Amino acid sequence: GPSEGGITIASTGNHTNYINFADSTSGVARYAGMIEYAHSIDQMVFRTNSLERIKIDNAGHAIIGGGVTLGNGQTYSAANTLDGGISFNGDTASANALDDYEEGVYQPTLTGSTSGSATMRADYGYLAYTKIGRLVTVTGRWETTGGHNIVGNVIMSLPFAQTGSLTAQAETGVGTMSLNRTGTNFDQTNLFQTVTFPGESQLYIYYQPSGTGNEAIVQGSQLDSAFEGYINHTFIAENQ
């Protein structure tokens, strides 16, 4: 005989099927427990005490409304899911929901505000990024090779655009960069500020010239034909 068996509930493509567990024959007690499958969107829902507890969408994402308790007794509570994000401690504001996590590497470009560019050295042309919600941090070491023809402000690209939707300059991204092998000694320092302005997907490298109270942006003419640096830069990404 067959080595496997089961139960199949057949339906058309736009119907929803249910398996109900009833406490009585009236009211919500008729479906105190329920397994529901919506064929139109390929989504499964589990209910207890007549309320939705777990939802699994057609991409395999599980939404658990009451939180999760691990075998060691530790409970992680995410009370609500809002617009595809997770909200904590009963917060119902969509703006406060954690709606994204991403990490990876990207290939930055170095260009001049007027013209020109630099070529990244093999194996030194990638930076890592981590995106938690809208907060992005870029880190790593980079190095150029073969000369450059950068004219004007030195500009490095970012993996996402900086937000321009917050109040005043609150959205400005900032960080630090160690810049080595420069043609100008920059008053014996190689530590610089990195700045991203609202609505842009690039950063500028800032320093303060000796004897002045003003800031300046590193220019292509101040760099050797090949130069390198280490970066840690954080900014708030625009809504995706």
Side-chain angles (χ1 to χ4, degrees):
S3 59
E4 298 179 355
I7 298 174
T8 299
I9 301 176
S11 178
T12 60
N14 60 354
H15 287 176
T16 301
N17 294 131
Y18 306 90
I19 299 176
N20 293 328
F21 302 87
D23 287 339
S24 72
T25 58
S26 64
V28 296
R30 293 173 298 167
Y31 45 87
M34 177 190 291
I35 301 173
E36 168 190 327
Y37 192 86
H39 290 270
S40 61
I41 56 176
D42 287 322
Q43 174 178 277
M44 180 169 281
V45 174
F46 296 85
R47 299 175 186 264
T48 63
N49 196 25
S50 303
L51 297 173
E52 180 181 304
R53 305 300 187 184
I54 301 175
K55 179 187 293 181
I56 305 174
D57 67 17
N58 59 16
H61 300 130
I63 302 171
I64 305 175
V68 177
T69 300
L70 303 181
N72 61 6
Q74 179 67 50
T75 297
Y76 297 87
S77 179
N80 300 289
T81 57
L82 303 166
D83 297 331
I86 300 173
S87 65
F88 298 91
N89 302 318
D91 194 337
T92 59
S94 296
N96 296 335
L98 179 62
D99 59 2
D100 191 22
Y101 179 88
E102 180 180 339
E103 59 183 44
V105 296
Y106 80 105
Q107 292 180 279
T109 60
L110 282 166
T111 57
S113 58
T114 301
S115 64
S117 63
T119 300
M120 291 294 191
R121 178 183 170 190
D123 299 326
Y124 291 85
Y126 293 87
L127 294 175
Y129 69 86
T130 302
K131 184 174 186 284
I132 303 174
R134 294 170 61 192
L135 189 67
V136 183
T137 299
V138 173
T139 61
R141 176 188 176 187
W142 53 269
E143 186 174 336
T144 70
T145 187
H148 73 84
N149 59 352
I150 294 176
V151 178
N153 302 330
V154 177
I155 297 170
M156 175 178 281
S157 65
L158 294 169
F160 305 97
Q162 165 82 27
T163 184
S165 59
L166 300 181
T167 302
Q169 295 298 310
E171 62 268 17
T172 301
V174 295
T176 57
M177 178 182 289
S178 174
L179 191 59
N180 304 318
R181 298 210 308 249
T182 63
T184 303
N185 72 19
F186 292 105
D187 304 317
Q188 307 303 318
T189 183
N190 67 344
L191 189 61
F192 300 82
Q193 293 177 318
T194 53
V195 178
T196 304
F197 293 109
E200 298 187 354
S201 55
Q202 59 195 26
L203 63 82
Y204 302 88
I205 309 168
Y206 273 78
Y207 73 104
Q208 183 172 320
S210 177
T212 74
N214 299 318
E215 74 279 3
I217 302 176
V218 173
Q219 304 292 297
S221 59
Q222 294 174 295
L223 303 176
D224 285 344
S225 59
F227 54 98
E228 65 176 9
Y230 300 81
I231 186 173
N232 188 300
H233 183 77
T234 300
F235 65 100
I236 301 174
E238 188 60 270
N239 283 323
Q240 301 298 304

